[in-house]
Amino acid sequence: MRIHLCMNVRGALAQSDVELKRWVGCIEHDGVKCRNVREVRQFLIEALGEGYEYLVPAECDNYDPKKGCLGHPSEGIKHG
């Protein structure tokens, strides 16, 4: 099974401004990329307020906002 990487919203909010700075320019909010840490933090607060505990940085067709990616069949992937 393949699972998309998920970001825990509460965990991200607990990060320092220095740690959140790496997200500046990577998160898009209302069609505009966050330009500073304050905007990144506001985006996370709003996501939490809307019931999102986890965010997935990619398109995911098996996503639950409380649990994140629920997994996808890993056909054709060989291990070892």
Side-chain angles (χ1 to χ4, degrees), residues 8-24:
N8 180 295
V9 177
R10 292 178 193 276
L13 280 169
Q15 292 184 5
S16 70
D17 287 354
V18 171
E19 292 170 315
L20 282 181
K21 189 173 183 177
R22 63 185 152 184
W23 293 98
V24 172

Side-chain angles (χ1 to χ4, degrees), residues 5-58:
L5 176 70
C6 300
M7 177 174 63
N8 180 295
V9 177
R10 292 178 193 276
L13 280 169
Q15 292 184 5
S16 70
D17 287 354
V18 171
E19 292 170 315
L20 282 181
K21 189 173 183 177
R22 63 185 152 184
W23 293 98
V24 172
C26 297
I27 294 178
E28 193 172 297
H29 182 58
D30 293 332
V32 178
K33 289 187 178 184
C34 294
R35 297 170 300 210
N36 54 51
V37 172
R38 183 185 57 76
E39 290 179 2
V40 171
R41 211 171 276 288
Q42 185 61 38
F43 167 79
L44 294 168
I45 290 168
E46 289 177 19
L48 195 57
E50 293 172 9
Y52 291 89
E53 294 287 332
Y54 292 90
L55 298 175
V56 178

